[in-house]
Amino acid sequence: MKFYSTRHAGLSFSFREAVLRGLAPDGGLFVPEAIPALSPSWVAGLSNYTLHEIAYEIAWPFLKEELTPAHLQQLVQHALSFEVPLVGVSPSIYSLELFHGPTLAFKDFGARFLAGVLSHFANQEPRETTVLVATSGDTGSAVAHGFYQVPGTRVVVLYPSGKVSERQEKQFTTLGGNITALEVEGTFDDCQRLVKLAFADTALRKDV
């Protein structure tokens, strides 16, 4: 499975390359070249599968050229290590609660899975991999906790001073270790601009 830039369909990369780059060379986002269809029979029997089995089945077509089945299963088990209860609201309405992860945010799902995948690829690199994050609160918390003490990686979180909740600020400023939080005098847009400038700096990308 190849992934191409939203700004230039002619630029395609492997999943490993897309994960390690973060952004396409032209500043675009990476999207898969195709969305594989799940078989109707499998979808019909969805209630018979566990959350981990469902996650594996959905992720496998995208990652099978990069990971072994055993490794993907391990990543899924680690990423989804908390409860995701389906709670009845009425006889015909249910709510899937996505706030039982370590930072109480739905972004724990993606951040923890990304951390596992990136750690696998980073360990094959000759140097440490740096993850830059601009946040208004929940993204920084989820990424910081997802990557905390993950070998081969370090995370730098940029957040706007006075514009995140006290709980979220403590979640990503008190970890230490491979997590660094930088308070920026400005807005979230200012933080995001700094991150994009860093990604666009070819010399910097070679040094980190």
Side-chain angles (χ1 to χ4, degrees), residues 42-87:
W42 186 84
V43 173
L46 205 58
S47 60
N48 299 320
Y49 302 110
T50 66
L51 177 65
H52 297 127
E53 290 171 333
I54 294 172
Y56 174 88
E57 190 71 19
I58 292 174
W60 177 245
F62 298 99
L63 311 183
K64 61 183 179 181
E65 296 174 7
E66 306 283 354
L67 303 173
T68 66
H71 194 187
L72 180 56
Q73 289 171 351
Q74 180 183 0
L75 291 179
V76 168
Q77 291 285 341
H78 172 75
L80 306 179
S81 60
F82 48 86
E83 293 295 319
V84 189
L86 188 63
V87 179

Side-chain angles (χ1 to χ4, degrees), residues 83-157:
E83 293 295 319
V84 189
L86 188 63
V87 179
V89 178
S90 71
S92 60
I93 298 176
Y94 291 83
S95 173
L96 187 64
E97 295 185 347
L98 305 179
F99 53 82
H100 293 275
T103 70
L104 311 180
F106 74 92
K107 292 181 180 179
D108 283 322
F109 291 89
R112 289 170 64 82
F113 186 78
L114 175 62
V117 171
L118 186 54
S119 175
H120 172 70
F121 294 145
N123 286 333
Q124 301 170 7
E125 295 295 305
R127 55 195 170 196
E128 192 175 53
T129 297
T130 300
V131 179
L132 297 177
V133 184
T135 186
S136 58
D138 54 353
T139 301
S141 299
V143 172
H145 279 263
F147 279 87
Y148 182 53
Q149 294 184 333
V150 171
T153 69
R154 67 182 174 118
V155 173
V156 179
V157 180

